[in-house]
Amino acid sequence: MRILSGIQPSGSLHLGNYFGMMKKMIEYQENEDLFCFIANYHAMTSVADGKVLARGTLEAAANFLALGMDPERSTFWVQSDLPEVQELTWALSNFTPMGLLERCHSYKDKVAKGIAANHGLFAYPVLMTADILLFQSDRVPVGKDQKQHVEVARDIAIKFNNHYGEIFTIPEAEIDDEVATVPGVDGQKMSKSYGNTIDLFQEEKALRKQIMRIVTDSTPVEEPKDPDRCNVFQIYRLFLDKEQQQALRRRYEAGGMGYGEVKQELFETVRDFFAPFTQRRQELLADLDGLRAILARGAEKAREAGAPTLRKVRKKTGLAY
Ligand code: ADP
Ligand code: TRP
């Protein structure tokens, strides 16, 4: 099964990104044919500073590699290293009704928020369609917000196939309802835009500060506490197996454990869990040419995988003459 997903390079990573998405992608490598890329063309719709985009791209790649993306087992590359995807975008644009894009919630929401409506923002789902179709992807794991874009990809693929013959696999979105939303320090969904994150790669002191900010109620130390209503527990459990969760639950219910104590333990757990990844990330970012070489090999693999599809498209459309 070919699984493909793209991730925009978007600054620092938090526990929600890791447990909600990256961990799952890294696990797919075990049994699936995983295609995963850094969507830096897409990021241009929100980042107009070249230095920021370039650095963000390198960091996003280093994050994934440090967390366990294996470029030998999967195909891992940076979107702009394959400008071919832009050629496919153009071919697909001619089979993309305006109304299909006008109906996209993501576009409408951004415009409603006051973001200037430009062509990049409007055509975003066509580029995403090209990402998916170029590699004949079967399944596309995405968050709920991207589901409609995968439906757009299906519509365009069907239209193109109806016109030129069976060229593209019709992809399917995979929305994982199992992955619970990771709460932030205030109990709302953890998100950069809410300023309630616990970040993966940062100094110990800053990490401790974020964890100490987790909002708890005012139950006194000696009294029993309800783990299901505690933000610390909801985050801590992500790091624990079933038995460890039960044990922690019992400590909550027995009373005598203060929130400060459990926060300190959570801090140590998060720090120790990510320490080896932090180390690896620093090594990758200390050798940017080495990192670029890994990405160049990834792009070659992706190029080879996409070439037959592009060849067919060029032939059928008459671009190859
Ligand atoms: P943010 O909300 O911080 O801007 P993004 O929208 O960049 O995060 O999310 C990137 C990926 O991480 C998406 O695939 C999304 O599903 C996942 N993700 C982000 N926040 C959470 C969360 N709190 N719980 C679960 N998954 C999350
Ligand atoms: N638009 C996606 C997001 O913001 C990223 C993305 C780009 C993507 N191309 C893709 C996801 C292709 C899946 C498949 O999250």
Side-chain angles (χ1 to χ4, degrees), residues 68-242:
M69 181 63 70
D70 178 352
E72 299 301 324
R73 259 200 289 181
S74 33
T75 305
F76 179 64
W77 75 104
V78 173
Q79 192 181 26
S80 67
D81 280 336
L82 247 77
E84 287 96 320
V85 78
Q86 296 292 354
E87 181 176 5
L88 183 58
T89 300
W90 177 248
L92 299 173
S93 285
N94 295 288
F95 289 80
T96 307
M98 292 294 283
L100 190 62
L101 299 181
E102 278 160 359
R103 282 195 293 279
C104 285
H105 303 301
S106 165
Y107 171 74
K108 287 195 290 193
D109 291 350
K110 283 174 186 158
V111 174
K113 268 196 214 150
I115 298 174
N118 64 29
H119 178 252
L121 206 58
F122 189 64
Y124 181 115
V126 192
L127 175 57
M128 185 160 158
T129 299
D131 291 327
I132 297 168
L133 301 186
L134 180 57
F135 304 102
Q136 307 287 357
S137 315
D138 300 298
R139 264 167 40 199
V140 184
V142 283
K144 288 190 200 84
D145 60 318
Q146 297 292 321
K147 183 167 182 262
Q148 192 184 26
H149 291 159
V150 181
E151 276 153 19
V152 166
R154 291 170 60 90
D155 285 356
I156 297 175
I158 290 168
K159 255 178 163 308
F160 204 91
N161 280 355
N162 282 343
H163 189 81
Y164 288 117
E166 296 303 307
I167 296 182
F168 298 122
T169 303
I170 311 300
E172 238 164 279
E174 182 185 288
I175 314 290
D176 195 343
D177 294 324
E178 294 264 291
V179 179
T181 301
V182 176
V185 298
D186 57 357
Q188 288 191 82
K189 175 187 185 251
M190 187 177 288
S191 169
K192 268 189 296 294
S193 41
Y194 301 151
N196 64 356
T197 63
I198 296 173
D199 298 332
L200 262 52
F201 300 120
Q202 59 178 336
E203 295 291 326
E204 255 190 75
K205 246 178 113 174
L207 174 65
R208 189 164 190 281
K209 207 168 146 195
Q210 285 184 334
I211 289 176
M212 291 302 155
R213 277 182 55 213
I214 299 176
V215 177
T216 49
D217 62 26
S218 52
T219 317
V221 174
E222 56 289 357
E223 276 181 35
K225 300 176 180 62
D226 182 356
D228 295 315
R229 291 182 37 214
C230 175
N231 294 325
V232 185
F233 185 84
Q234 295 310 318
I235 296 171
Y236 203 165
R237 56 190 272 276
L238 299 166
F239 295 88
L240 305 177
D241 62 29
K242 288 247 151 53

